[in-house]
Amino acid sequence: MGLIPESKIAEIRDRTDIVAIIGEHVPLRRAGVNHLGLCPFHQEKSPSFNVSASKQFFYCFGCQKSGDVFRFLMELEGRTFVDVARDLARRAGVDIPEEAAEASPQRRAQRLQQESERARLLKLCELAARFYEAQLAEHERARQYIESRGISAEIRARFRLGYAPPAWDALIRAMAQRGVPHELAESAGLVLRKEGVAALPAGAPATAHTHYDRFRDRVMFPLLVPIIGAAARAAGATALGDVIAFGGRVLPEAHSEGAKYINSPETPLYKKGDNLYGLHAAREPIRQRRQVVLVEGNFDVLALHQHGFENTVAPMGTALTEAQIQKLSRLLAPDGHVVLMLDGDKAGRSATMKDIALFMFSQANLSDVALLSQRDVDVRVARLPDGEDPDTFAQRDREGLARCVRAAKPALDYVLDEAIAQAEHDSVAGKAKVLAKVAPLLKSLRNQTVQELHVDRLASSLGISTDLVWRHLQGVQIPSVAAITNAPTRSPAAAAPRAPAHPGTGAGAAPPQSGRPPLERPPQQLDRRPTTDRRPPPLERRPPSFDQRPPSVDRQSLLDRPPLD
């Protein structure tokens, strides 16, 4: 996708009425030359959100968010600058020039075909979701299982839970009645072609002789994505979201040879690692509370939403990815934070450690993301009691769960506590193992003061000098994000390798190796410093050059901070 010229950006801004755009989301009233309303980015009772029509600018005196119409829609809807700019350009009647490759007749035809295919796939996924919902209403066995998990009818409707019957061709028959082409059903990941059968004619519906349903005898969890922009206005306020994929959980007593959980394969609508389960219902609570609770499973999301933790999401059975982190960071305010709440067992704690590493390395290595978002991700860990998981704990002790969320530790404190508690303090090998384990996280810290405090704490806990810790950090190489996200996934549903997220933002993005100032503590300075003052000298702060950004990063992201008048 080519860059949008600055002249076109200025033209879009000049031809867009910021009061009208913001007024579609926030009730505004005139207050002198400006307009006033309740801020959509934080909770308030007295309006402090000001919009200036003459300056094409908004500012909140409560949370200090400000910007132009581009920034407003990016912050409110979590969209990229390019997406917002093209949407506003269509509304304002501004033509955005295309590069030669994009403007060719072949490329235009391909783009129109892709857009048409996406619309057809969305309709088919909606058809499948309604079919599964209707099947749930007819099968008492599936309803009883959902009720046994403590899920209310309201939550069931909000998340559009369904049931895939045990028949191998139940959905196939429903789609054949609607004349759905087999190519489209295969592309949506809803059916699988049998081996060794002759291909059907183009456009013919799938049959039980040639295909079989992917999901059978499973509780179905549609993946809903928020409807944003013009599509949201057309859908109306009651729309829950677009269905783009499904997850299925086999019933406990079912005799299935498959995994307990399976998800849709990658499709033109769905990329593994790009989406979060429950985000369609959690967007506004996350923005209002400035907090997101991240759990492991779909039932965890349902249980926490039912008990008032409506800012809860889950990563759809995969290890956490950079794309998911970016979605969350765009929704959180600068003072917002993420609470990792995973099972209180050894496996859950191991998954927590991997997610902490990914969050922290996303701040340290992908420096351009941090610069454009103008905030780091504050990660905390809620440690559940041993043997508990978020689902059952929420059902049994809501107040106890709330206390765990309030008492969530900063991520690095959690890492240090876990590492130190497991260390063999009396052995040199045990201390070296702890130091090697936490050193990459310490080095990835952007805040020098916080880094110094953690170094002092680690040295004190292990009974070693801070000089030794600093010398060790000098030789530490921060692992790439890909190395972290290639860790084993959490559930059988994620057994297949994950495809990388969007170029430059996914797990495959190469981290800039020189974008951070090095830890330099000359030996002569270490020897001359008194033992009572072992803080490191100030780090050299060098602004990253353009060449230091990962080569796979989309340069269009530099426009995510449009010049403000």
Side-chain angles (χ1 to χ4, degrees):
M1 182 177 292
L3 298 176
I4 301 177
E6 289 287 345
S7 59
K8 288 296 181 182
I9 295 173
E11 183 180 357
I12 295 169
R13 187 185 298 112
D14 293 340
R15 296 178 63 172
T16 299
D17 184 355
I18 189 173
V19 175
I21 296 295
I22 294 180
E24 295 176 359
H25 305 273
V26 180
L28 298 174
R29 62 177 176 82
R30 180 175 291 278
V33 296
N34 296 330
H35 289 75
L36 190 65
L38 294 174
C39 180
F41 302 112
H42 79 285
Q43 290 181 313
E44 62 178 4
K45 296 181 179 179
S46 300
S48 61
F49 184 78
N50 284 262
V51 182
S52 172
S54 59
K55 297 180 180 180
Q56 290 288 293
F57 192 83
F58 73 89
Y59 181 79
C60 177
F61 288 93
C63 65
Q64 283 75 54
K65 276 195 181 290
S66 62
D68 60 4
V69 67
F70 299 101
R71 177 59 57 186
F72 176 83
L73 292 175
M74 289 166 59
E75 294 282 352
L76 186 70
E77 299 177 342
R79 292 194 285 168
T80 63
F81 175 79
V82 174
D83 187 18
V84 169
R86 293 189 180 276
D87 189 14
L88 291 177
R90 285 190 292 268
R91 296 183 57 163
V94 177
D95 292 327
I96 297 179
E98 298 175 312
E99 292 183 346
E102 292 287 324
S104 65
Q106 296 82 357
R107 182 68 185 99
R108 286 184 175 180
Q110 182 182 3
R111 188 168 61 251
L112 289 174
Q113 182 179 358
Q114 290 173 347
E115 291 176 355
S116 176
E117 181 187 18
R118 176 180 175 82
R120 291 191 299 157
L121 286 171
L122 285 173
K123 290 181 179 179
L124 178 54
C125 287
E126 176 63 25
L127 173 66
R130 293 182 180 182
F131 170 78
Y132 293 138
E133 286 177 303
Q135 293 299 311
L136 180 61
E138 297 177 4
H139 287 79
E140 183 178 357
R141 171 169 153 264
R143 292 199 311 274
Q144 287 179 346
Y145 171 68
I146 293 175
E147 292 171 359
S148 72
R149 298 296 298 260
I151 304 304
S152 67
E154 178 187 355
I155 293 298
R156 190 176 70 190
R158 187 186 306 173
F159 287 82
R160 300 192 63 182
L161 300 189
Y163 173 67
W168 289 76
D169 62 345
L171 181 61
I172 286 177
R173 293 196 306 269
M175 292 189 296
Q177 293 176 358
R178 299 293 188 95
V180 176
H182 68 275
E183 302 96 334
L184 191 65
E186 291 176 9
S187 180
L190 295 171
V191 302
L192 295 169
R193 181 191 295 270
K194 292 182 178 179
E195 296 182 1
V197 299
L200 289 172
T207 70
H209 300 291
T210 58
H211 294 78
Y212 59 93
D213 292 348
R214 178 181 296 274
F215 299 100
R216 302 177 306 280
D217 200 16
R218 293 178 180 271
V219 174
M220 299 299 293
F221 303 86
L223 175 59
L224 297 160
V225 296
I227 306 175
I228 57 179
R233 292 187 293 274
T238 59
L240 294 175
D242 285 329
V243 180
I244 64 170
F246 296 91
R249 201 273 190 206
V250 68
L251 293 182
E253 67 277 12
H255 300 287
S256 174
E257 298 179 357
K260 179 188 291 187
Y261 287 94
I262 61 173
N263 292 327
S264 294
E266 293 208 349
T267 71
L269 295 178
Y270 170 65
K271 302 298 179 186
K272 291 183 179 179
D274 275 11
N275 299 280
L276 292 152
Y277 182 71
L279 187 60
H280 74 284
R283 281 171 61 89
E284 288 307 314
I286 289 173
R287 185 178 290 114
Q288 293 171 4
R289 301 179 190 182
R290 300 173 182 168
Q291 178 193 73
V292 57
V293 177
L294 188 69
V295 295
E296 182 177 352
N298 294 353
F299 272 114
D300 294 334
V301 173
L302 300 178
L304 265 66
H305 274 254
Q306 181 166 315
H307 289 84
F309 301 89
E310 296 178 336
N311 54 334
T312 303
V313 297
M316 282 293 289
T318 67
L320 201 63
T321 68
E322 279 293 312
Q324 292 166 337
I325 291 173
Q326 291 180 43
K327 284 182 182 292
L328 296 178
S329 65
R330 285 197 292 263
L331 290 174
L332 291 169
D335 59 345
H337 63 273
V338 176
V339 176
L340 297 177
M341 180 189 292
L342 301 181
D343 295 358
D345 55 17
K346 185 175 181 180
R349 290 194 292 272
S350 176
T352 303
M353 298 284 278
K354 294 174 185 176
D355 286 346
I356 289 170
L358 183 59
F359 266 109
M360 298 188 69
F361 288 132
S362 74
Q363 298 175 48
N365 288 11
L366 303 182
S367 57
D368 56 328
V369 174
L371 289 172
L372 291 173
S373 63
Q374 294 184 319
R375 58 178 154 320
D376 295 331
V377 181
D378 178 5
V379 188
R380 306 176 190 180
V381 178
R383 172 75 177 272
L384 297 182
D386 291 343
E388 296 284 2
D389 63 76
D391 176 12
T392 57
F393 196 40
Q395 306 277 3
R396 186 176 59 81
D397 187 1
R398 183 199 178 282
E399 291 304 320
L401 188 64
R403 286 193 297 269
C404 288
V405 173
R406 290 194 297 267
K409 287 184 179 181
L412 193 51
D413 287 345
Y414 176 87
V415 173
L416 291 178
D417 288 346
E418 288 285 308
I420 292 170
Q422 298 172 12
E424 300 174 7
H425 289 183
D426 296 333
S427 71
V428 173
K431 294 178 181 181
K433 186 182 297 185
V434 172
L435 186 58
K437 185 175 185 178
V438 302
L441 298 181
L442 288 174
K443 189 169 182 178
S444 70
L445 290 173
R446 298 171 63 87
N447 187 302
Q448 181 183 352
T449 301
V450 173
Q451 188 180 56
E452 293 177 17
L453 292 173
H454 281 300
V455 166
D456 289 344
R457 181 188 171 210
L458 178 63
S460 175
S461 299
L462 296 180
I464 60 178
S465 70
T466 55
D467 291 345
L468 177 59
V469 178
W470 286 112
R471 284 199 298 270
H472 184 79
L473 292 186
Q474 290 179 15
V476 170
Q477 295 293 326
I478 301 177
S480 67
V481 174
I484 298 170
T485 55
N486 283 338
T489 53
R490 294 196 185 103
S491 72
R498 297 193 313 280
H502 295 302
T505 63
Q513 297 300 321
S514 59
R516 284 178 41 78
L519 283 165
E520 297 181 357
R521 285 176 55 89
Q524 62 271 23
Q525 291 184 358
L526 296 176
D527 295 338
R528 293 175 184 174
R529 296 181 68 82
T531 57
T532 57
D533 184 10
R534 295 193 180 275
R535 292 174 299 173
L539 299 179
E540 179 187 357
R541 299 294 180 184
R542 298 180 303 199
S545 65
F546 188 82
D547 292 336
Q548 289 170 340
R549 290 190 174 87
S552 59
V553 171
D554 186 357
R555 301 298 173 84
Q556 181 63 61
S557 63
L558 298 176
L559 296 177
D560 278 0
R561 295 178 63 191
L564 306 179
D565 294 335

